[in-house]
Amino acid sequence: MSDTMQPPIETNAPMIEPEEVAPSPGRTKAGNLFEAIAQGAQFQTSLHEEMEELPCVVNVEDFNLWYGKSQALFNVSLSLPIGKVTALIGPSGCGKSTLLRSVNRMNDLVDGVQTKGSMTLAGESIYAAGADVIELRKRIGMVFQKPNPFPMSIFENVVYSLRIAGIRKRSILQEACEQSLQRAGLWEEVKDRLRSSALQMSGGQQQRLCIARAIAAQPEVLLLDEPCSALDPIATGRIEDLIEELQGEYSILMVTHNMQQASRVSAYTAFMYLGRLVEYGPTESIFMNPHLSETEDYVTGRFG
Amino acid sequence: MSQTPEQQAESAKEIRDAMRVVPQVAHGEPAVWLAGGALAMAVLIITGMVGLIVYQGGRAFWPDPIAKVRASDGSEHLGEIQQVGSVPADEANGGAKRVLLRSENFRWSGSHASWIVTDPNFEPTYPEWAVLVELMEEGRIIGQPTYFRVDGKVLESDPASVWAAYNEHRGQISERTREIERLTKGTLAKLTNRQADARLNARKAELEYGTDSAEHKQALADMDALLASLAKEQSDIDRKIADLEEINHRYEIGFLFQDGTEVFRPMADINRMVPANRLTLVGRLGVYLDRWREFLTEDPRHANSQGGIWPALFGTVVMTMIMSIMVVPFGVLAALYLKEYAKPGFFVSLVRIAVNNLAGVPSIVFGVFGLSFFCYIVGAQIDEWFFTASLPNPTFGKGGILWASLTLALLTLPVVIVATEEALSAVPQSMREGSYGCGATRWQTIQRVVLPRALPGIMTGMILAIARGAGEVAPLMLVGAVKMTQDLPIDLSQAPYLFPQRSFMHLGFHIYDLGFQSQDSEAARPMVFATTLLLIGIVVGLNLGAIWLRARLRRRFRAAR
């Protein structure tokens, strides 16, 4: 699982320039690029020029990942702008979650994962040989698909990261708990029952609790892995509002299946397909004026 | 393989037709009856078993009336009627009855109960002054109290006044009996311990400095001086006891049996006298409850067939607790490694299979292992290191409550491991991921998230282990359960208060001993049922405690949805 490892699969398929298949505006045949990718062709991500000058916190370069023998990510390069929400979209199985979970090395928990390429957090390599995974994860907050509060009180849930970091001072814990819950818009609802079990809350509350838990440790990056997929529309709305509020304070990388959600809350959008990053740019131009016809097909619902 | 549209339509129709016909069996009626019947059978067996034991154990101490039955041959008998039946041979000519009469007086008649053949229309009478007497050492007798004697002089000679005199003097006499007991068990026992300690010190000096060394001689001299002073103390106490006993033995009650035998017994030998036929319901209830109190709180008497079972009760509970304390942490840690740390593979599967098979090993095998390993290897080594002076008498190198608990802990280990593994598997992976995502290490995750969540399941394993361990008898016979001991493993009157090396009494073994090893198992039968009831009660009680604890934990972790 180190970046020096040789990829087990080498592809000799010819390089295809996306521009060839999809010359801008008057696009014609959709699906050529998808077919080419499915056949294993290498290609260059269509990166919008606005992305190039942005200051970024996470930098992914030529990142490859294998689950055992099957490759899940192919030469992904992506930089995550500071203080903005970046959405990862794409059909199921395209590697969005894998990419997200690579950022805080959650994939280490899976047997037989190998990586190649580099990934940095604030300039420090994430996959370097001496990198401390525990420290890395403390700097990155994560919220999962299904709300996963721990079997303990609401208070203990929120200050969990602080507790395991060894912070014992009551005043600090209480302050952090209140602030995080307030940030997550949950304080008013639960301030009278901080001692009761977190498992007795509703699903939407639980997810907001998980967000509070993730931001309590003051992380540099927040990873959201389809945070609303298990929630009803009203709870989803609240979470989306919350994500918009957190924008600016945190750099957020978010996986979503919901195009509306991506267009509503994110500043930048990356479209992935079969482990490749296809197009990456400001959300507005990805949705209104994508460079590739494939992207347009996907975001408008004609494909996927 | 392609089909024409006609063929496709044909086969579609065939399928549709087949779907219309539902065979009777497919409705599942027979299966419901089969499953329901099996359940009903199981419930019947369990309730029958528990019901029988509750009934028999519950009535064991109820004072039955004492009947006088006239036999066909004209002789009269006194006793508790246990069963009435007909004599098979005489059924043709009107049918004589036979009565199973519990007549007691084993010491004089040689039997506890006998079948009396009576007329078909026999009527038992209930003489007012027939009494059942529980003696301290000679079992039970049934007769009429006819004399009250002090210093050999008969003072009262009719049952009513004898009964009155008995009640008048009973208080003082049992006071003196208690005093004697206190002296014997407390003071005298302490003296004996000090004597043993003195001898042990001399022996230690001999071992340490060599025979006939200055230190050894000094220790011997000390020992002799101490023993001399202790001997004087002891003779004082012995004299005190003898005096008390002499006073107690001046009061005697004479009983007249139905066969005309007259028997005098000192009042101090009478544990309880029950005028069964004069008792009101409240009186009977009083006797019943007092017998239960005696049963639960006192030491056994008369080859365990009388008195109480307190040491066995205590031994069972202490042993079960030590066992739980040993097996739960050990089993949980082992399961944690198997589930959380070990990489699944051939070796882990092998270990898991071995653990599961361990659960199927006959318990006596564990007993043999406990004896040969804990007692003869570990215990002998401990003796060699720490109890050299008392060798060749073993201290830890024999059966004891610690070794018995450890043996049972081994026996129940697979139960705990399997239950814990299942509980750990039931913890959602997402919870672990959440914890790792917060930057927790593996141990922090286990300790703060996985274990609390798995705790109710682990408790289930503990409950199963308790249920299995508390009722196990066979291995205990090899590693420390004994027929009779009054020395409890926890004794607050004697340093160092905890005696893990002591052998102990156990309810399960006690039942076996009463029912099968006792000289007159007939006399012990009510005790067998009462003890069984108690054992069931303890297992149920321990289980209920654990279940209550588990329910409380569950409530903490229950999800709202």
Side-chain angles (χ1 to χ4, degrees):
Chain A
M1 234 183 295
S2 82
D3 34 7
T4 56
M5 194 130 343
Q6 279 301 310
I9 296 173
E10 280 290 350
T11 159
N12 296 319
M15 189 85 160
I16 294 178
E17 289 297 320
E19 279 77 11
E20 288 175 23
V21 207
S24 14
R27 316 172 181 96
T28 46
K29 268 174 69 190
N32 283 359
L33 180 58
F34 290 155
E35 272 169 32
I37 289 175
Q39 280 155 18
Q42 298 191 2
F43 81 107
Q44 199 71 44
T45 301
S46 166
L47 189 68
H48 293 209
E49 56 220 16
E50 294 94 324
M51 306 306 299
E52 287 176 11
E53 294 305 311
L54 284 172
C56 61
V57 57
V58 172
N59 211 337
V60 183
E61 253 175 82
D62 285 329
F63 194 76
N64 293 272
L65 184 142
W66 293 263
Y67 290 120
K69 292 237 183 273
S70 70
Q71 189 164 6
L73 293 177
F74 297 81
N75 293 320
V76 173
S77 298
L78 169 148
S79 47
L80 186 63
I82 289 181
K84 300 289 183 197
V85 179
T86 304
L88 283 173
I89 61 171
S92 294
C94 70
K96 313 179 293 287
S97 286
T98 302
L99 178 61
L100 185 94
R101 294 162 67 94
S102 300
V103 176
N104 65 348
R105 289 182 63 173
M106 286 301 275
N107 285 326
D108 286 13
L109 301 175
V110 183
D111 277 340
V113 166
Q114 294 177 31
T115 61
K116 183 174 169 254
S118 90
M119 203 182 264
T120 57
L121 170 65
E124 297 167 39
S125 173
I126 291 173
Y127 282 89
D132 185 349
V133 185
I134 302 295
E135 193 223 329
L136 171 80
R137 291 191 187 137
K138 283 186 172 139
R139 294 166 61 188
I140 300 176
M142 184 161 185
V143 176
F144 297 80
Q145 266 190 36
K146 264 181 69 187
N148 55 354
F150 302 141
M152 45 183 92
S153 69
I154 294 174
F155 178 82
E156 288 300 331
N157 258 284
V158 178
V159 300
Y160 184 78
S161 321
L162 281 61
R163 281 249 192 246
I164 58 174
I167 298 174
R168 290 228 181 79
K169 226 170 145 192
R170 198 92 208 134
S171 54
I172 294 180
L173 293 176
Q174 263 161 355
E175 181 62 29
C177 176
E178 182 174 344
Q179 267 192 5
S180 313
L181 284 173
Q182 241 151 13
R183 257 357 241 105
L186 200 57
W187 177 251
E188 287 306 316
E189 289 163 60
V190 301
K191 64 179 176 189
D192 299 325
R193 51 182 183 118
L194 290 176
R195 298 278 149 215
S196 62
S197 167
L199 298 177
Q200 286 164 2
M201 308 165 86
S202 73
Q205 285 178 323
Q206 286 188 356
Q207 195 62 308
R208 276 182 285 149
L209 179 73
C210 291
I211 294 177
R213 184 173 74 195
I215 59 179
Q218 307 292 342
E220 292 158 50
V221 178
L222 209 50
L223 304 175
L224 310 179
D225 189 357
E226 295 185 50
C228 303
S229 66
L231 304 179
D232 64 70
I234 293 171
T236 302
R238 300 206 57 166
I239 303 272
E240 283 176 9
D241 292 347
L242 176 58
I243 296 170
E244 282 197 82
E245 276 174 41
L246 294 175
Q247 174 143 264
E249 205 172 328
Y250 297 97
S251 315
I252 297 175
L253 183 60
M254 174 173 119
V255 168
T256 179
H257 267 296
N258 184 330
M259 294 304 125
Q260 284 78 25
Q261 187 171 68
S263 66
R264 271 197 301 266
V265 300
S266 68
Y268 302 97
T269 297
F271 171 51
M272 292 183 72
Y273 182 74
L274 284 187
R276 280 86 169 171
L277 180 57
V278 176
E279 186 166 354
Y280 182 32
T283 300
E284 216 178 74
S285 52
I286 289 282
F287 278 86
M288 306 305 288
N289 188 24
H291 291 180
L292 302 180
S293 60
E294 287 77 8
T295 309
E296 185 177 32
D297 288 348
Y298 184 74
V299 298
T300 54
R302 257 177 285 164
F303 166 82
Chain B
M1 202 176 75
S2 67
Q3 287 181 319
T4 63
E6 289 78 31
Q7 279 172 321
Q8 279 178 10
E10 185 78 10
S11 56
K13 187 181 177 301
E14 212 168 291
I15 292 172
R16 272 201 300 274
D17 288 347
M19 294 317 242
R20 295 257 157 68
V21 185
V22 182
Q24 200 55 37
V25 181
H27 282 297
E29 296 296 332
V32 171
W33 281 102
L34 197 68
L39 178 69
M41 197 74 158
V43 170
L44 206 70
I45 290 169
I46 292 168
T47 46
M49 189 181 79
V50 173
L52 188 75
I53 287 166
V54 168
Y55 172 73
Q56 292 279 20
R59 73 181 288 278
F61 295 136
W62 186 255
D64 284 328
I66 298 165
K68 188 194 262 185
V69 176
R70 175 187 276 274
S72 306
D73 60 13
S75 62
E76 287 184 320
H77 304 268
L78 209 54
E80 295 169 356
I81 295 177
Q82 302 227 296
Q83 209 178 316
V84 179
S86 49
V87 183
D90 288 304
E91 229 157 3
N93 42 26
K97 285 276 168 66
R98 56 176 192 165
V99 177
L100 179 60
L101 203 64
R102 195 180 166 97
S103 50
E104 305 295 355
N105 305 345
F106 179 76
R107 161 102 196 268
W108 295 271
S109 65
S111 71
H112 291 284
S114 51
W115 286 99
I116 313 285
V117 179
T118 64
D119 298 331
N121 50 353
F122 86 102
E123 274 295 330
T125 56
Y126 296 95
E128 188 189 0
W129 280 108
V131 294
L132 173 79
V133 181
E134 295 163 19
L135 296 175
M136 291 303 241
E137 290 305 333
E138 292 169 312
R140 293 146 47 117
I141 57 178
I142 288 179
Q144 299 211 9
T146 33
Y147 302 104
F148 176 67
R149 203 158 78 167
V150 180
D151 290 335
K153 271 215 310 267
V154 174
L155 297 187
E156 310 285 354
S157 55
D158 74 295
S161 36
V162 172
W163 175 246
Y166 167 76
N167 281 324
E168 186 190 331
H169 291 91
R170 195 167 55 160
Q172 302 166 8
I173 285 171
S174 52
E175 190 70 37
R176 280 190 283 269
T177 310
R178 269 200 292 278
E179 175 70 14
I180 292 170
E181 201 166 301
R182 206 177 52 75
L183 287 172
T184 327
K185 276 197 188 155
T187 324
L188 215 54
K190 263 183 210 148
L191 276 182
T192 319
N193 284 338
R194 281 168 67 191
Q195 284 169 350
D197 282 351
R199 292 203 180 91
L200 216 57
N201 280 335
R203 175 87 178 116
K204 269 185 195 154
E206 186 181 0
L207 284 174
E208 203 165 322
Y209 301 104
T211 316
D212 292 333
S213 62
E215 284 86 354
H216 181 215
K217 281 184 178 143
Q218 181 61 40
L220 277 180
D222 286 352
M223 178 186 91
D224 288 338
L226 189 64
L227 285 184
S229 78
L230 289 179
K232 195 182 156 338
E233 261 182 67
Q234 185 172 355
S235 68
D236 284 350
I237 295 166
D238 282 345
R239 198 166 50 245
K240 238 188 242 170
I241 292 175
D243 287 349
L244 288 167
E245 275 177 349
E246 202 194 318
I247 301 174
N248 262 3
H249 274 84
R250 288 163 57 199
Y251 300 89
E252 290 173 301
I253 307 267
F255 298 96
L256 177 65
F257 295 166
Q258 194 56 43
D259 60 9
T261 318
E262 271 184 8
V263 169
F264 278 87
R265 280 288 164 262
M267 267 183 73
D269 274 2
I270 296 173
N271 180 53
R272 184 186 287 109
M273 181 144 72
V274 185
N277 296 344
R278 298 188 75 241
L279 286 176
T280 58
L281 189 66
V282 177
R284 268 173 217 282
L285 204 63
V287 171
Y288 180 72
L289 293 178
D290 191 53
R291 279 177 174 169
W292 267 107
R293 178 201 56 76
E294 185 193 351
F295 179 67
L296 292 177
T297 60
E298 284 182 14
D299 288 340
R301 285 184 282 108
H302 195 231
N304 288 356
S305 67
Q306 299 263 306
I309 43 83
W310 167 243
L313 178 60
F314 191 79
T316 307
V317 172
V318 169
M319 188 208 70
T320 310
M321 283 180 168
I322 299 178
M323 179 199 81
S324 311
I325 292 169
M326 300 278 180
V327 73
V328 171
F330 192 36
V332 168
L333 285 175
L336 268 183
Y337 188 85
L338 267 184
K339 194 81 217 165
E340 301 286 323
Y341 287 104
K343 269 207 165 64
F346 174 72
F347 186 68
V348 169
S349 308
L350 203 69
V351 170
R352 198 165 283 139
I353 291 170
V355 166
N356 285 334
N357 278 330
L358 208 59
V361 173
S363 56
I364 192 77
V365 174
F366 283 94
V368 173
F369 172 78
L371 182 71
S372 57
F373 180 69
F374 292 130
C375 304
Y376 292 163
I377 296 179
V378 182
Q381 197 57 55
I382 292 176
D383 279 357
E384 209 155 290
W385 284 334
F386 304 108
F387 299 95
T388 327
S390 35
L391 282 174
N393 291 333
T395 310
F396 275 93
K398 59 173 180 52
I401 194 162
L402 178 66
W403 301 145
S405 306
L406 283 179
T407 305
L408 285 194
L410 273 185
L411 179 84
T412 50
L413 187 63
V415 179
V416 176
I417 292 183
V418 169
T420 306
E421 263 208 278
E422 266 162 29
L424 293 176
S425 308
V427 178
Q429 194 60 29
S430 68
M431 262 189 198
R432 293 192 181 89
E433 284 188 345
S435 174
Y436 291 132
C438 287
T441 60
R442 200 191 277 257
W443 175 242
Q444 281 172 328
T445 302
I446 289 173
Q447 184 196 1
R448 289 165 187 265
V449 175
V450 177
L451 274 186
R453 173 59 208 262
L455 210 50
I458 294 173
M459 296 291 294
T460 306
M462 196 175 111
I463 292 169
L464 291 174
I466 286 176
R468 172 107 202 258
E472 198 60 68
V473 179
L476 298 181
M477 297 202 235
L478 295 171
V479 290
V482 291
K483 180 184 171 72
M484 176 63 209
T485 174
Q486 291 182 337
D487 296 329
L488 301 179
I490 300 174
D491 188 347
L492 296 182
S493 69
Q494 198 182 342
Y497 312 117
L498 294 177
F499 300 92
Q501 77 276 24
R502 279 187 179 168
S503 32
F504 64 105
M505 289 177 73
H506 184 272
L507 284 174
F509 181 69
H510 198 70
I511 293 168
Y512 166 74
D513 178 66
L514 281 175
F516 301 101
Q517 303 293 297
S518 144
Q519 281 173 357
D520 38 19
S521 54
E522 188 61 33
R525 206 160 60 175
M527 293 284 281
V528 170
F529 284 120
T531 313
T532 310
L533 180 62
L534 187 66
L535 181 59
I536 291 184
I538 285 183
V539 173
V540 169
L542 287 172
N543 278 349
L544 281 182
I547 288 170
W548 173 79
L549 207 63
R550 184 178 64 181
R552 264 187 53 150
L553 291 171
R554 276 228 177 105
R555 220 173 305 137
R556 257 176 58 198
F557 303 135
R558 192 170 45 203
R561 278 170 296 159

